[in-house]
């Protein structure tokens, strides 16, 4: 179940990376690269931090094929995909939720302390987007607007607490993912942003 959720997160983040590449007017290779980096970057960082070598995404073909297929679909049908702005924002919220919660669960499963697992979960959730923005020579969105990393931290903390209370991993992951996605959707709807310095 966790693998299925992880692959859904990969597909969703691949859409985000591919659309960003299309907006930046990259060629088909650039779209493929950005989709794969966005979709897999966080997972690779997660496995490196947890000592999983080689990274899971490089050992199983499903993780490599999923972002490639998604990138090609977005490249071909990007006008239609771009019109689904609300849908892609919702998909991004779902991807963040799934990545954060499954990564935190993976950290706990490897025996990492709770705080370490939570940090790994947050890094996994935001890592792909940060790499995407860096490749596009932009300040990462997570550092300049919207409630993103905060929602990730809340979700990771819920996974740690739920696991410590003995709740099954799948149930904890689904509930925490729903909370993260809900926070992101409400933040987008209400226009919430983290505080910034006054000018």
């Amino acid at each position: 179940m966790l693998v299925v959720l992880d692959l859904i997160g990969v597909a969703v983040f691949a859409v985000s990376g591919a659309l960003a590449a299309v907006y930046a007017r990259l060629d088909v290779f650039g779209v493929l690269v950005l989709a794969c980096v966005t979709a897999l970057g966080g997972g690779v960082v997660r496995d490196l931090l947890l000592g999983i070598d080689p990274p899971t995404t490089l050992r199983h073909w499903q993780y490599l094929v999923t972002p490639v297929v998604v990138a090609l679909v977005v490249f071909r049908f990007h006008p239609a995909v771009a019109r689904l702005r609300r849908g892609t924002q919702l998909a991004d919220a779902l991807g963040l939720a799934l990545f954060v919660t499954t990564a935190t669960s993976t950290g706990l499963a490897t025996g990492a302390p709770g705080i370490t697992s939570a940090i790994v979960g947050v890094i996994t959730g935001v890592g792909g987007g940060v790499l995407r923005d860096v490749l596009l020579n932009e300040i990462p969105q997570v550092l300049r607007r919207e409630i993103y990393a905060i929602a990730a931290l809340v979700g990771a903390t819920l996974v740690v607490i739920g696991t410590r209370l003995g709740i099954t991993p799948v149930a904890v992951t689904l509930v925490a993912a729903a909370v993260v996605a809900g926070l992101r959707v409400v933040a987008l709807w209400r226009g919430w942003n983290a505080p910034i310095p006054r000018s």
Side-chain angles (χ1 to χ4, degrees):
M1 184 63 179
L2 290 178
V3 172
V4 172
L5 293 175
D6 210 21
L7 286 172
I8 293 173
V10 166
V12 166
F13 274 167
V15 172
S16 170
L19 278 177
V22 168
Y23 294 151
R25 305 297 298 164
L26 302 186
D27 63 15
V28 63
F29 181 72
V31 173
L32 285 168
V33 168
L34 216 60
C36 289
V37 167
T38 307
L40 306 178
V44 170
V45 172
R46 172 199 65 201
D47 290 351
L48 292 176
L49 290 174
L50 295 175
I52 301 173
D53 184 37
T56 304
T57 52
L58 302 181
R59 286 188 286 122
H60 301 289
W61 63 268
Q62 297 94 327
Y63 285 94
L64 298 173
V65 170
T66 299
V68 169
V69 171
V70 169
L72 292 175
V73 171
V74 171
F75 182 81
R76 175 63 180 83
F77 301 104
H78 65 86
V81 176
R83 282 195 293 270
L84 303 173
R85 185 172 180 272
R86 293 288 185 187
T88 55
Q89 287 179 332
L90 180 61
D92 184 74
L94 179 62
L96 174 69
L98 294 174
F99 265 30
V100 169
T101 52
T102 57
T104 305
S105 295
T106 300
L108 293 171
T110 62
I115 188 169
T116 302
S117 299
I119 292 171
V120 167
V122 173
I123 291 173
T124 303
V126 305
V130 170
L131 292 172
R132 173 199 64 211
D133 294 344
V134 168
L135 287 175
L136 291 174
N137 198 30
E138 298 177 358
I139 298 174
Q141 289 185 15
V142 68
L143 300 179
R144 56 190 170 92
R145 65 179 182 181
E146 298 181 354
I147 304 298
Y148 204 86
I150 295 173
L153 184 59
V154 170
T157 302
L158 287 176
V159 171
V160 172
I161 293 173
T163 302
R164 293 289 186 258
L165 292 176
I167 303 173
T168 60
V170 172
V172 168
T173 299
L174 291 176
V175 171
V179 171
V180 175
L183 280 174
R184 280 291 298 139
V185 170
V186 171
L188 289 168
W189 175 48
R190 302 287 294 178
W192 290 346
N193 289 288
I196 60 174
R198 293 185 177 182
S199 58

